[in-house]
Amino acid sequence: MVNITGICTLAPNTPSGSYPITYTICEVNPVTGIAVSPANCDSVTITVVVASTIDAVADTFPSQTPGTTVPTTVGNVTTNDTLNGVPVTASNTDVTPVTTGPLSIDATGVVTLAPNTPSGSYPITYTICEVNPVTGIAVSPANCDSVTDTIVVSNTIDAVAETTPAINGHIGGNTMSLTNNDTLNGHPVTLGTGGNVAITPVSVPAGLIFNTNTGIVTVAPNTPSGSYPITYTICEVNPVTGVPVSPANCDTVTSYVVVFTTDFTPTIDIDNVVFLTPGVTRDFVVNISEIESSASVGQIVFKIPKQQAFTITYNPTATTSDVGGGTIVNNNDWIITENSLFITVTLKPNIVIDASTFSSVGFKISRKINVPNQTWQPITATIVTGSGSDSVNDNNAYTVLVKAQ
């Protein structure tokens, strides 16, 4: 607007641009101030250029922890941007949408982080441009500014000590993965191609093999019993490239692989193996001994075949036997069943035979009627292969011969 004195006034918040204004001057009598007659005038058009100062300022956002399924909203990049020193608004500026790597900025300036983004520093450059707040159209000539923001992603990595089922040292075997309870941002880590962590062994005892692609430990056969410490480090990697993130994001832990060795063997105690007349009954005791360094794992089972010339009986709750003038037995610790062929004796689930100890089961055996003299038959106790985690099979049977004489 131009007033009568020729002063041109610009309205507040005028968008940048070139604004033409036409004005006319006419001669007047300097004494009366009245326009001369005939009129003596001239007109001209001038252009007023408005140039607002726009400033896109780099933002500082907190370190981000991405989600696993949906994008994370980081913030708005226009928060500290200004137009003529005043914070910009959604009506007087516009943001050019842009996506760079895992980061995206929309037309309103909201920046989001893609799910499962590896740790690191991610730059993104954006541009804000002035627009007419009434029409929303970009001013002409364009009035823009660009700046680069850097978003820091910090994933939380946690290597947790694993307790794996014990391995039988006689035969060896594999553990479950030691990384089963390790996490990245609270979710299980993944290994191998496309995985988000890599393993670096720090200390692995001799005789154990640590597979860094799976986290599984292999125990070699004939490994002595013990608790073997394995120290390892997991470090976050980019799941696409497999390259460790920078700066490094790692955690170290020590887990223990427990190796046990068990070897059960039976023996039979009986005071006299000769049965002179039908109906003679004697006691015998089957002893199941653990001769290695570890307690039983699971239920031990042994079997006694039934005989034609002799009858074997038992009291499932017996606590003593007449063998040796009086022997303590543990029949209450065992489940005794039978069929037409075998008597099967199974250690109860809550009972353990410790290293270098034994458990005894008492029986009675009697000569049947009409059995010819000079008839020999065996009492054989055989441990079922693998029961109670027994790992040596060549000492699983013991036999005593009894005679009808």
Side-chain angles (χ1 to χ4, degrees):
M1 179 181 68
V2 178
N3 66 15
I4 60 174
T5 65
I7 295 175
C8 180
T9 302
L10 182 66
N13 299 316
T14 300
S16 298
S18 297
Y19 295 90
I21 186 170
T22 300
Y23 68 93
T24 300
I25 57 173
C26 292
E27 183 182 3
V28 297
N29 186 306
V31 175
T32 64
I34 298 172
V36 298
S37 180
N40 184 22
C41 301
D42 194 24
S43 298
V44 70
T45 299
I46 63 172
T47 300
V48 177
V49 178
V50 177
S52 299
T53 302
I54 193 168
D55 188 15
V57 180
D59 300 274
T60 301
F61 294 107
S63 294
Q64 301 296 307
T65 300
T68 58
T69 57
V70 297
T72 300
T73 299
V74 177
N76 195 302
V77 296
T78 66
T79 300
N80 55 356
D81 298 344
T82 60
L83 186 65
N84 287 335
V86 178
V88 301
T89 66
S91 62
N92 62 16
T93 55
D94 201 0
V95 179
T96 303
V98 61
T99 297
T100 303
L103 298 174
S104 297
I105 297 176
D106 66 14
T108 66
V110 174
V111 56
T112 55
L113 175 68
N116 299 312
T117 299
S119 297
S121 296
Y122 296 89
I124 186 168
T125 300
Y126 72 95
T127 300
I128 55 171
C129 293
E130 184 184 2
V131 298
N132 187 305
V134 176
T135 65
I137 298 173
V139 299
S140 182
N143 183 28
C144 302
D145 193 27
S146 299
V147 73
T148 299
D149 280 348
T150 299
I151 310 300
V152 176
V153 176
S154 298
N155 293 312
T156 302
I157 192 168
D158 190 15
V160 182
E162 180 68 79
T163 301
T164 63
I167 300 293
N168 191 322
H170 279 305
I171 59 177
N174 296 326
T175 69
M176 64 177 63
S177 176
L178 296 189
T179 63
N180 272 0
N181 53 1
D182 297 348
T183 59
L184 187 66
N185 285 341
H187 297 275
V189 301
T190 54
L191 297 169
T193 303
N196 56 20
V197 299
I199 296 176
T200 301
V202 177
S203 175
V204 180
L208 274 63
I209 300 173
F210 189 21
N211 187 327
T212 57
N213 290 320
T214 63
I216 293 172
V217 177
T218 299
V219 178
N222 301 315
T223 299
S225 61
S227 183
Y228 293 84
I230 293 184
T231 302
Y232 67 93
T233 298
I234 54 170
C235 292
E236 183 185 2
V237 299
N238 187 307
V240 176
T241 64
V243 177
V245 299
S246 181
N249 185 27
C250 303
D251 195 25
T252 300
V253 72
T254 298
S255 290
Y256 289 85
V257 175
V258 176
V259 177
F260 69 91
T261 52
T262 56
D263 183 12
F264 296 98
T265 189
T267 57
I268 298 175
D269 295 329
I270 187 169
D271 288 337
N272 193 332
V273 298
V274 176
F275 294 74
L276 296 177
T277 59
V280 172
T281 298
R282 305 192 189 284
D283 284 15
F284 73 91
V285 173
V286 177
N287 307 295
I288 304 297
S289 300
E290 162 42 350
I291 60 176
E292 264 288 2
S293 57
S294 298
S296 59
V297 180
Q299 294 173 273
I300 305 165
V301 180
F302 70 90
K303 292 187 174 186
I304 301 174
K306 291 187 174 181
Q307 303 169 339
Q308 291 183 343
F310 296 87
T311 300
I312 298 174
T313 59
Y314 50 85
N315 177 357
T317 61
T319 57
T320 59
S321 170
D322 288 340
V323 173
T327 298
I328 295 174
V329 293
N330 313 103
N331 289 31
N332 273 320
D333 291 344
W334 298 81
I335 302 167
I336 307 175
T337 60
E338 60 181 301
N339 58 24
S340 60
L341 298 177
F342 293 96
I343 296 172
T344 301
V345 187
T346 304
L347 193 67
K348 290 181 178 179
N350 59 330
I351 303 299
V352 172
I353 300 178
D354 288 320
S356 303
T357 64
F358 63 93
S359 180
S360 300
V361 183
F363 298 89
K364 293 184 181 296
I365 183 169
S366 59
R367 176 179 170 177
K368 293 180 180 180
I369 299 173
N370 300 322
V371 174
N373 288 340
Q374 306 304 313
T375 298
W376 290 87
Q377 287 193 335
I379 304 173
T380 300
T382 303
I383 294 174
V384 174
T385 300
S387 65
S389 297
D390 178 63
S391 52
V392 178
N393 297 326
D394 57 8
N395 61 354
N396 280 7
Y398 191 92
T399 298
V400 172
L401 291 176
V402 292
K403 181 182 181 182
Q405 184 169 323

